[in-house]
Amino acid sequence: MTQAALRRLLWPESVAVVGASPAGQWTRHMIPSMRRLGYRGEIFPVNPQYREIDGIRCYPALTEIPRAPDAAMVAVRRDAAMTAVEQCAARGVGGAVVLAGGFAEVGADGAALQDRLRGVAGRAGMAILGPNCQGFINCVQPSALWMDEIFEPLRPGGTAIVSHSGTVATGIMNQLYRRGAHASCVVSIGNEAVVTAAELIDACVDDAATRLIAAHLETIRVPARFFAACDRAAEAGKPVVVLKVGRSPAAREAVSAHTAALAGPDRLIDAQLRRHRAVRVQTLDEMIETCVALSGRRITSPGWTAFALSGGHTELVLDAAASTSLRFPPVRAETAAKILERLPAYLPRAVGNPFDTAGVRLDWAVETIARDPAIDGVLFIVQTRRHPTGVMDLLTATLETAEALHDAGDKPVVVLSANGDLEPSVARRMAARGIPVLAGIDTGLRALEHAYRYRRPAGAPLPAPALDGAALRKCFDALRGPVAGLDALELLAGAGVPVVRSIEAGSADDAVRAAREVGYPAVVKTGARDVPHKSETGQVFLNLTSARAVRRAARAVRPPILVQPYVEGGTELLVGLESDPTLGTCVVVGLGGVLTELLDRVAARAVPLRTGEAVEMLTELSMSPFFEGYRGRSPVDLAAVRAAIERVAAFGAAAGPAIRSVDLNPVIASPAGVYAVDALVVPRRD
C-alpha cells in the first residue's frame, strides 16, 4: 500500500458502491448521506439488478465503470467481497472499504480468506479498510463510505477519530459534535488487514486540518510502526489520545472474538504509550473530556485558580484533585484581598482557592486575575443544566466572565460543569471562543491532568552504563531455563544491580560457617528456583541469631541452602522487568514481599529510563512515607533506591528480548543501603 493509495481512499474524487441497493441494509443511506455532506465527486453504483439508484446510473459490474474510481465501498457478503476486491485491484481502484465480517475473527478459514485479501491488495498497492469495519467519513473534504446514515452536513473540526469499532467511533463523533469539538475524519478500521492505526495516525499528522487524534484500540498490530507514528504526532504537537481496551481477562477474550486481535500485555502497552507521548485514558467519558481539554489553550502548570457558585462545589473539587497532580495553591495576598472584599461578608474569609462566590458576578475581577502573574489558569465551576430548577442569570454571568477573561490575555480558561449532565448549547458557545467546557468534576479534572502532563517536557535519556548487551544475550542463550537463587543474584550483581551477600551451603555445618562469615543475625532459605513463595512453604527463616538456629533451619529447607545477612527495619520493594518481543521491555516497581501478588499495584516505565522516571514511579505509588521514616522508622536513602531501579532498567535495556522477565523480590531499602535478597531471571527460549 502506498500513501497515494491511502489518500485516494480517504480523499476520493470518485467512488464506486459495490452492492448498491435502495433497500440494502448497508447501502440504502449512502448516496443520500453523501449528498447531505456535500460530496462533489462522481458516484458509481454497482449492482446488476438495477439500472438506476437515487437518480444515478447503476452499472452491472466494476468493469463497466467508465473510469477507475479512487475508492470503492464493498457492501456485499464475505465471499462476494473477495471477488469484488480482486475486481477493484484489476480496475486500478485506489482503495476499498470492506464492510463484511467473517474473516480472521471467525477462525482458520476466515483467516485464510483475509490473507488472500491482503495479498491482492499488496500486489496492487491498494489501500483497504477492514474487513469487518464500518468505513470512514471525511469532514474536511466531504465524503463518506460509511455504513450508517448521516443526517446533516458536518462542520469540519480538528479531531481525527480512529477506532476498531465503528459503533464506538460513531459515539465519540456524536459526543464531540454536541460539544462543538468537531471531527476532521472518522475511520473504522475493523480487522486491519491492510490499513492499520499506524498508517492512519501518520496520515493525520500530515493532514493540516487535524490537530488531535482520538484512537479507540483493541490491539496494536505493528507496535514499532504504531509508536513511530505516535512520535511523529508528538513532534508535530498533535496529541494522540488512546483508549486501549483489554485490561481485564474477559475484555481480552472479547477483543479476540471481535476483530481477531490480541489485546497484548497491558502493563507493557501502558509503559510504551507513555514513552511515546500518547495520552492513555480508561473510559469513553475520560476520552471525550480529554479531547475537549486538549482543544483549548496549552496547559503548562498544574496550579489553578477556581471560582465556584457554592462551597459544596469547592469541597468536591478539592477531594477530586487530591488523586491527581492538580493543585489549587493560595493566590497572592494582594489578589486575594481584592477578590474577597467584593464577595459577601458571610463567606469564610480564611478559605480561598477555590473561591466560593455564592453566585456573585465576577466581571469586576477579570482585570485583577488577568494581571496576576502567579495565576496560571482559571477554572469556573458551574451547573450548566437549568431545568427543572436553576438560576439562568448566574450561569450567563459566569460564562460572560469566562469569555472576558479569555479575551483579556493568554491564560487557559476552562468551564467545568459540576454534573456530568452537560448542556450542549453552553459547550458549543464556549467552544466557539476556544474555551473548553468539561463535564463532571472527577472526569473533568482527570482530563485537565492529562492535558497538563502531555505538555510537560520529557526527561532526557539516562546515560547508558557500561553493560555489554551482546555478552548478556550470549549468557541468556546458554541458559536452559529460569535461574533463581545465587545464580540469579550473581548474574544481576555482574550488571551492577546491588544484591545482598549470599553464600550457598551444601550442609547444615556449611550453613553455620556461612552464617559466621556473613554475620549474625542471618537468613537461611532454599535456593531452589521452583519455590516461588518461600515464606508460604516454610522455606525461609529470618533473623537467626545463633548457630543452633541456623543448623535447624538448614535442615528444614530444600537444597541448595542459601545463607544471607538479615537486613532489619527496611522497606520491601518489588523491582522487576517484563519483556515482549514486539512491545519491548519495561521496568516495574511496587510493594514487595508477601504483598506483591495480593495488591498487584505497580508502576511501569519503558526502558531505557529517562531522567526522573525512577522517582516518578515511587511517587505514583505513594511510597514516599515509607522512605521518609514511617511510624518511627529511620529514613531510607532515596537516591540509592533510585539508582537500584535505574540499574535494573539498564540491565533490561542491554539484554533486550533475550529475557522474558526478571523479579527481584524483595529488594530491601534500609538506612544501611538497598539490596536485592531474592531474584528470578527467566530467559526467552523462543
Side-chain angles (χ1 to χ4, degrees), residues 381-399:
I381 303 146
V382 299
Q383 290 184 161
T384 63
R385 288 287 189 184
R386 300 188 293 264
H387 300 287
T389 180
V391 183
M392 183 179 298
D393 291 346
L394 289 182
L395 175 61
T396 301
T398 302
L399 297 180

Side-chain angles (χ1 to χ4, degrees), residues 32-348:
S33 291
M34 290 279 269
R35 285 172 170 162
R36 291 187 196 112
L37 280 176
Y39 180 65
R40 296 179 180 179
E42 292 182 283
I43 302 175
F44 302 112
V46 177
N47 191 327
Q49 298 181 32
Y50 301 95
R51 293 185 178 182
E52 181 182 286
I53 295 178
D54 285 317
I56 301 174
R57 178 185 173 184
C58 187
Y59 295 86
L62 273 166
T63 54
E64 301 294 320
I65 295 176
R67 63 191 61 83
D70 287 324
M73 174 83 136
V74 178
V76 293
R77 67 185 187 279
R78 183 183 74 166
D79 295 338
M82 191 64 247
T83 301
V85 168
E86 291 171 336
Q87 292 175 350
C88 286
R91 191 70 180 85
V93 176
V97 172
V98 180
L99 300 182
F103 286 83
E105 78 277 9
V106 299
D109 290 344
L113 199 60
Q114 184 165 308
D115 287 341
R116 180 180 157 198
L117 182 148
R118 186 184 297 112
V120 170
R123 288 187 292 274
M126 188 168 63
I128 290 183
L129 279 182
N132 187 27
C133 77
Q134 196 157 317
F136 76 89
I137 303 172
N138 186 331
C139 304
V140 177
Q141 180 181 304
S143 60
L145 299 183
W146 189 250
M147 184 188 294
D148 289 342
E149 186 170 7
I150 300 169
F151 299 103
E152 59 187 274
L154 298 176
R155 176 181 167 185
T159 302
I161 301 166
V162 177
S163 174
H164 277 109
S165 165
T167 303
V168 171
T170 299
I172 295 170
M173 176 178 63
N174 291 347
Q175 283 274 20
L176 291 175
Y177 184 81
R178 285 192 287 271
R179 305 284 288 276
H182 301 283
S184 58
C185 64
V186 185
V187 188
S188 163
I189 53 180
N191 289 9
E192 296 177 286
V194 178
V195 177
T196 71
E199 285 88 17
L200 290 167
I201 291 173
D202 261 336
C204 291
V205 172
D206 295 332
D207 175 35
T210 296
R211 298 185 299 274
L212 183 149
I213 301 154
H216 162 260
L217 302 177
E218 296 177 347
T219 188
I220 297 175
R221 298 270 182 192
V222 188
R225 192 183 305 163
F226 177 85
F227 292 124
C230 289
D231 288 339
R232 285 195 69 223
E235 290 167 7
K238 299 186 178 186
V240 180
V241 181
V242 176
L243 175 56
K244 168 66 178 66
V245 298
R247 289 179 289 130
S248 68
R252 287 192 289 274
E253 185 176 345
V255 162
S256 180
H258 185 213
T259 56
L262 296 177
D266 195 68
R267 202 171 288 164
L268 277 165
I269 290 170
D270 193 72
Q272 292 293 355
L273 288 171
R274 186 190 298 263
R275 169 55 50 86
H276 295 280
R277 301 287 305 280
V279 179
R280 188 176 188 186
V281 295
Q282 302 297 333
T283 66
L284 272 173
D285 288 343
E286 193 177 337
M287 169 174 267
I288 298 299
E289 302 313 315
T290 301
C291 289
V292 172
L294 284 163
S295 69
R297 286 174 174 166
R298 285 174 172 261
I299 298 170
T300 58
S301 168
W304 289 82
T305 298
F307 297 91
L309 299 181
S310 78
H313 282 165
T314 67
E315 296 149 9
L316 291 168
V317 166
L318 290 171
D319 271 349
S323 60
T324 73
S325 61
L326 302 181
R327 297 293 175 262
F328 296 91
V331 300
R332 293 196 309 177
E334 178 185 353
T335 301
K338 288 181 179 179
I339 293 172
L340 291 172
E341 73 183 9
R342 297 289 296 271
L343 297 181
Y346 59 78
L347 293 175

Side-chain angles (χ1 to χ4, degrees), residues 369-382:
I369 298 167
R371 289 185 175 182
D372 190 336
I375 295 178
D376 296 306
V378 182
L379 187 64
F380 292 94
I381 303 146
V382 299

Side-chain angles (χ1 to χ4, degrees), residues 612-657:
E613 285 188 318
V615 174
E616 191 179 71
M617 283 193 282
L618 298 172
T619 304
E620 193 174 298
L621 293 166
S622 303
M623 295 187 71
S624 298
F626 290 99
F627 301 126
E628 294 168 357
Y630 177 66
R631 300 194 70 170
R633 296 189 178 195
S634 300
V636 169
D637 185 351
L638 184 59
V641 176
R642 173 188 55 76
I645 295 170
E646 290 174 352
R647 293 301 296 191
V648 173
F651 175 78

Side-chain angles (χ1 to χ4, degrees), residues 57 89 197 236 246 280 341 441 542 566 580 582 608 637 654 665:
R57 178 185 173 184
R280 188 176 188 186
E341 73 183 9
I441 289 175
L542 308 175
Y566 177 64
D580 180 86
T582 59
D637 185 351
N665 184 24

Side-chain angles (χ1 to χ4, degrees), residues 578-597:
E578 294 182 6
S579 173
D580 180 86
T582 59
L583 289 168
T585 303
C586 73
V587 60
V588 295
V589 178
L591 286 175
V594 297
L595 296 176
T596 298
E597 293 186 13

